[in-house]
Amino acid sequence: MRPIRVAIWGFGAMGQGMAEMLLTKRGVDIVGVCDHDPTLVGRTVQDVLTQTVESLIPVTDDIDLMLNEVDPDIVLLCTDSFVSGVYEKIKKLLEKNINVITIAEEMVFPFQSHPALAKELDDLAKEKDVTVLGTGINPGFVMDFLAIALSGAMMDVEKMVITRKNSLNTFGLTVMEKYGIGETLEQYYERITNKQPIGHIGLNQSAHMIFSGVGLKPSKFEQQIEPILTQTKRKTKYATAKEGTLAGISLTGQGYIDEQLFLELHHPSQIEPDAQGVQTEDSIYLEGKPNVNMTIRPEIDGGLGTIAVCVNMIPHVMNAKPGLKTMLDLPVPRAILGDMRDMLETIE
Amino acid sequence: MRPIRVAIWGFGAMGQGMAEMLLTKRGVDIVGVCDHDPTLVGRTVQDVLTQTVESLIPVTDDIDLMLNEVDPDIVLLCTDSFVSGVYEKIKKLLEKNINVITIAEEMVFPFQSHPALAKELDDLAKEKDVTVLGTGINPGFVMDFLAIALSGAMMDVEKMVITRKNSLNTFGLTVMEKYGIGETLEQYYERITNKQPIGHIGLNQSAHMIFSGVGLKPSKFEQQIEPILTQTKRKTKYATAKEGTLAGISLTGQGYIDEQLFLELHHPSQIEPDAQGVQTEDSIYLEGKPNVNMTIRPEIDGGLGTIAVCVNMIPHVMNAKPGLKTMLDLPVPRAILGDMRDMLETIE
């Protein structure tokens, strides 16, 4: 059986991490890489990755040419966060009968936020006999999938309280800018006023994935955003937050069933959390029969976790029935330590 | 769409708990209950369950009559722990084109311990177009499924250390006898010498499910059993352990890849663990990229958890491709708070 053919579209930190991971795995080949960044185009994968890896695949900025030349089984799409950004790209891939995994946060559960586009992608994927999945560490794993999985050991659930207190230390420039690290409170309010995205994307998707997962229709879901202002200077490789400026963003959300609070989400993200005594962790408290009280300490690393979940879902997506799927539709992800092909049900 | 028709075979503590749970759910009916216990036969479900429930279904001891009369979509099989005990029962159900979920511990992953019987059941299920699943809180969830799920957020795994320190307090007489609670060290050694089962069943199955899940072939798997002798008198509703007698059983296991220790399992189970300062918990420590360090405190209740996982898997089993499946083949379990039929892909 030939190796699984994977192409990566979007070769930033996440795409590069996936390439690094794929190069350590058996039964899978990177056959193409596409990115429009002029500092990357024309260079080989092994030239871009600082680690010692062997891959002479060149980065191209011509997606159509790449897809026609390399004929991938699946594309890992790592270019955008929003459905609006990836929608046309996913359509292009489906039209060519290519499976897609994207880390676009909104694609983890687009059925509530973008029902028409989600249906269109689902229909097209079914027509073309391929599968689309949105995933990542969060949304896609910690604050939704894992909470749902734990609820599977419960006869009844009365309330869910899910917290991810994470460090942004390991992230690069894109994330620092996305979170406004080092910006003033004035700049923060300017972003809010201009409806410019800031901080974590996908809390809404996590909430609706949970409700859908347990079979409930929320009567209301509300979100709040707060700046995390630092009291001392904090510094990482890619950003500095002076005293009084943004060290991160805190999101909270509440989902109600018939006016009763059922779901609480807490998601403060910042650089150097221990500068102010914050211990990072993922915690899931499910009240019901029985109660389940889980903590992961420190939190699962966001960057590595996203790379891993995305790559580890490749065989599941290739095995899946056609359509637009969520993490709740497919078998549980798992580390792939053997040959990736052993996990396939069929491959031509 | 008509409700899902469920029958329960084995109406001990677990079967009764499943009935109680099913009676609170929408879109599902209990259509039959079978048990050979003369104190149960002839009584209705509502008479047996102490809670206020409405169900006039009678307990019968004639499985063939029951199956022919009530034509269930699925049977929850709660009679045995070993493959040898459930094998003929499962065959009988498959022959009648009935889906099966069993809490027989060895059926959670019978492919390594009972390859021939597993293949036979798999073939028969496929021929009859139905699905068989073995599950429960452990094996089936905590020490295998959940560890695998967490590994899904990892690029690589070097070592897995999985611990379940649980209390046997909530269990009934069957479990007290199974663990030899209150027996002397002499009686314990007699059981060991006579190869009489004692303590938790399924550690071997958990280990091989994990190896299979991540795609590794272990070079060796070893298990040890130790009595937990109490230093003070311990007492629960169903058993008493005097000073110096058995309060529980501790199992440990080690799995190796090429002579390298990869998997450590620790599973001490006892009544009144806090009598000797033992804090109960489930913990999963996965060393790799990134490390994942999870704790559930206290441990997920064994009885309630087993009932819940078994019932919550009903729609997944009905949706599944035919064959003998494991928890790793099906979508993640979840609490079912809406109508169970909403989770079905098709039902006639």
Side-chain angles (χ1 to χ4, degrees):
Chain A
M1 192 190 279
R2 64 161 175 79
I4 300 168
R5 299 169 63 79
V6 178
I8 301 172
W9 189 354
F11 208 51
M14 293 298 99
Q16 290 179 31
M18 289 173 202
E20 235 181 274
M21 177 171 171
L22 285 165
L23 289 168
T24 68
K25 301 292 170 191
R26 281 178 288 142
V28 59
D29 285 340
I30 301 173
V31 294
V33 172
C34 180
D35 198 291
H36 57 60
D37 180 345
T39 69
L40 297 173
V41 176
R43 292 166 65 193
T44 63
V45 168
Q46 85 179 42
D47 184 49
V48 174
L49 301 181
T50 49
Q51 275 79 355
T52 328
V53 294
E54 278 186 31
S55 172
L56 296 173
I57 300 292
V59 181
T60 172
D61 58 359
D62 188 336
I63 185 67
D64 294 298
L65 189 71
M66 181 189 89
L67 294 175
N68 289 337
E69 273 182 358
V70 306
D71 188 26
D73 297 311
I74 190 164
V75 164
L76 308 181
L77 178 58
C78 315
T79 53
D80 300 79
S81 289
F82 299 102
V83 169
S84 57
V86 286
Y87 169 72
E88 290 294 342
K89 296 183 179 102
I90 294 173
K91 258 178 69 174
K92 178 192 288 283
L93 296 167
L94 297 180
E95 293 286 2
K96 291 178 187 287
N97 305 88
I98 301 168
N99 295 291
V100 182
I101 302 179
T102 177
I103 55 168
E105 289 94 324
E106 284 189 343
M107 280 299 297
V108 163
F109 194 83
F111 303 99
Q112 192 273 341
S113 56
H114 302 76
L117 295 187
K119 181 169 185 334
E120 210 180 307
L121 291 176
D122 187 44
D123 288 345
L124 181 59
K126 283 174 178 155
E127 186 196 320
K128 298 294 181 178
D129 200 25
V130 287
T131 304
V132 187
L133 173 73
T135 193
I137 197 68
N138 193 42
F141 194 87
V142 172
M143 294 186 80
D144 35 42
F145 173 82
L146 194 53
I148 287 285
L150 291 170
S151 84
M154 298 173 69
M155 297 167 73
D156 195 19
V157 183
E158 278 150 33
K159 196 176 169 187
M160 306 176 88
V161 183
I162 305 168
T163 303
R164 180 163 163 86
K165 291 187 204 172
N166 67 316
S167 166
L168 299 174
N169 278 14
T170 58
F171 288 96
L173 210 53
T174 317
V175 170
M176 296 303 125
E177 282 165 3
K178 187 170 134 190
Y179 280 80
I181 305 301
E183 292 187 10
T184 62
L185 196 56
E186 223 165 32
Q187 289 173 299
Y188 167 80
Y189 282 120
E190 209 175 290
R191 288 221 212 188
I192 298 290
T193 311
N194 297 336
K195 294 197 161 48
Q196 223 185 312
I198 185 164
H200 173 71
I201 297 155
L203 201 76
N204 177 62
Q205 278 71 23
S206 288
H208 289 286
M209 182 164 154
I210 288 171
F211 281 116
S212 161
V214 298
L216 291 176
K217 282 199 204 325
S219 47
K220 192 168 61 177
F221 179 68
E222 294 177 333
Q223 277 190 77
Q224 302 81 32
I225 184 166
E226 289 288 336
I228 299 175
L229 299 173
T230 185
Q231 288 157 21
T232 53
K233 185 176 165 185
R234 303 193 202 180
K235 199 173 157 24
T236 67
K237 194 173 163 193
Y238 291 102
T240 304
K242 281 191 254 177
E243 198 188 315
T245 67
L246 257 72
I249 294 286
S250 180
L251 279 184
T252 44
Q254 304 84 33
Y256 295 83
I257 301 292
D258 302 332
E259 307 311 307
Q260 182 81 30
L261 181 61
F262 176 82
L263 175 66
E264 267 184 49
L265 300 173
H266 301 271
H267 188 19
S269 310
Q270 60 202 295
I271 59 166
E272 291 290 311
D274 39 358
Q276 248 152 269
V278 174
Q279 190 173 29
T280 59
E281 65 178 30
D282 297 315
S283 78
I284 296 173
Y285 176 63
L286 306 180
E287 202 176 298
K289 194 176 179 185
N291 294 336
V292 174
N293 185 18
M294 187 220 73
T295 310
I296 297 174
R297 196 170 284 161
E299 91 283 19
I300 301 182
D301 186 282
L304 301 180
T306 294
I307 290 163
V309 175
C310 184
V311 170
N312 287 332
M313 289 305 287
I314 291 173
H316 291 334
V317 167
M318 290 185 62
N319 288 335
K321 292 183 186 166
L324 171 58
K325 302 296 179 191
T326 77
M327 290 293 282
L328 301 186
D329 300 317
L330 304 183
V332 66
R334 64 208 65 171
I336 302 171
L337 307 181
D339 193 302
M340 201 179 278
R341 289 169 293 192
D342 294 344
M343 294 178 65
L344 290 188
E345 285 166 15
T346 53
I347 184 168
E348 295 115 308
Chain B
M1 194 190 278
R2 65 162 175 80
I4 300 168
R5 299 169 64 80
V6 178
I8 301 173
W9 189 355
F11 208 51
M14 293 298 98
Q16 290 180 31
M18 288 172 203
E20 235 181 273
M21 179 172 170
L22 285 165
L23 289 168
T24 68
K25 301 292 172 193
R26 281 178 288 143
V28 60
D29 285 340
I30 302 173
V31 294
V33 173
C34 181
D35 198 291
H36 56 61
D37 181 345
T39 69
L40 297 174
V41 176
R43 292 166 65 195
T44 62
V45 167
Q46 85 180 39
D47 184 49
V48 174
L49 300 182
T50 49
Q51 275 80 355
T52 327
V53 293
E54 279 184 32
S55 172
L56 297 173
I57 299 293
V59 180
T60 173
D61 58 0
D62 188 336
I63 185 67
D64 293 298
L65 189 72
M66 180 188 90
L67 294 175
N68 290 336
E69 273 182 359
V70 306
D71 188 27
D73 297 312
I74 190 162
V75 164
L76 308 181
L77 178 59
C78 314
T79 53
D80 300 79
S81 289
F82 299 102
V83 169
S84 56
V86 286
Y87 169 71
E88 291 294 343
K89 296 185 179 100
I90 294 173
K91 257 178 69 174
K92 179 193 288 283
L93 296 168
L94 298 180
E95 293 286 3
K96 291 179 188 285
N97 307 88
I98 300 169
N99 295 291
V100 183
I101 302 178
T102 177
I103 56 169
E105 289 94 324
E106 283 189 346
M107 282 298 297
V108 162
F109 195 83
F111 303 99
Q112 191 272 342
S113 55
H114 302 77
L117 297 187
K119 183 172 184 330
E120 210 179 305
L121 291 176
D122 187 43
D123 288 345
L124 182 59
K126 283 174 178 153
E127 187 196 320
K128 298 295 181 178
D129 200 25
V130 286
T131 305
V132 187
L133 172 73
T135 192
I137 198 70
N138 191 43
F141 195 87
V142 172
M143 293 186 81
D144 35 42
F145 174 83
L146 194 54
I148 288 285
L150 291 171
S151 83
M154 298 174 69
M155 297 167 72
D156 196 19
V157 183
E158 279 151 31
K159 195 176 170 188
M160 305 176 90
V161 183
I162 304 169
T163 303
R164 178 164 165 86
K165 291 188 204 170
N166 66 316
S167 165
L168 300 174
N169 277 14
T170 59
F171 288 97
L173 209 54
T174 317
V175 170
M176 296 304 124
E177 281 165 4
K178 186 170 136 190
Y179 280 80
I181 305 301
E183 292 186 10
T184 62
L185 196 56
E186 225 165 30
Q187 290 172 299
Y188 166 80
Y189 282 120
E190 211 175 290
R191 288 220 211 189
I192 298 289
T193 310
N194 298 335
K195 293 197 163 45
Q196 222 187 313
I198 186 165
H200 172 73
I201 296 154
L203 201 75
N204 177 61
Q205 279 71 21
S206 288
H208 289 286
M209 182 163 153
I210 288 171
F211 281 117
S212 162
V214 299
L216 291 176
K217 282 198 204 322
S219 48
K220 193 169 57 175
F221 178 69
E222 294 177 333
Q223 278 190 76
Q224 301 83 31
I225 184 164
E226 289 288 338
I228 299 175
L229 299 173
T230 185
Q231 289 157 22
T232 53
K233 183 176 166 188
R234 304 193 202 179
K235 197 171 159 24
T236 67
K237 194 174 164 193
Y238 291 102
T240 304
K242 281 190 255 177
E243 199 187 316
T245 68
L246 257 73
I249 293 285
S250 180
L251 280 184
T252 44
Q254 305 83 35
Y256 297 82
I257 301 294
D258 301 333
E259 307 311 308
Q260 182 82 29
L261 181 61
F262 177 82
L263 174 66
E264 266 184 50
L265 300 174
H266 302 271
H267 188 21
S269 309
Q270 59 202 295
I271 60 165
E272 291 290 310
D274 38 359
Q276 247 152 269
V278 174
Q279 189 173 29
T280 60
E281 64 178 31
D282 297 314
S283 77
I284 297 173
Y285 176 62
L286 306 180
E287 202 176 298
K289 194 176 178 183
N291 294 336
V292 174
N293 185 18
M294 187 220 73
T295 310
I296 296 174
R297 196 169 285 160
E299 91 283 19
I300 300 182
D301 185 282
L304 300 180
T306 294
I307 291 164
V309 175
C310 184
V311 170
N312 288 332
M313 288 306 287
I314 291 174
H316 292 333
V317 167
M318 292 186 61
N319 288 335
K321 291 182 187 168
L324 171 57
K325 302 296 179 190
T326 78
M327 289 293 282
L328 301 185
D329 300 317
L330 304 184
V332 66
R334 64 208 66 172
I336 302 171
L337 306 181
D339 192 303
M340 203 181 274
R341 289 170 292 193
D342 294 345
M343 293 177 67
L344 291 187
E345 285 167 14
T346 52
I347 184 169
E348 294 116 308

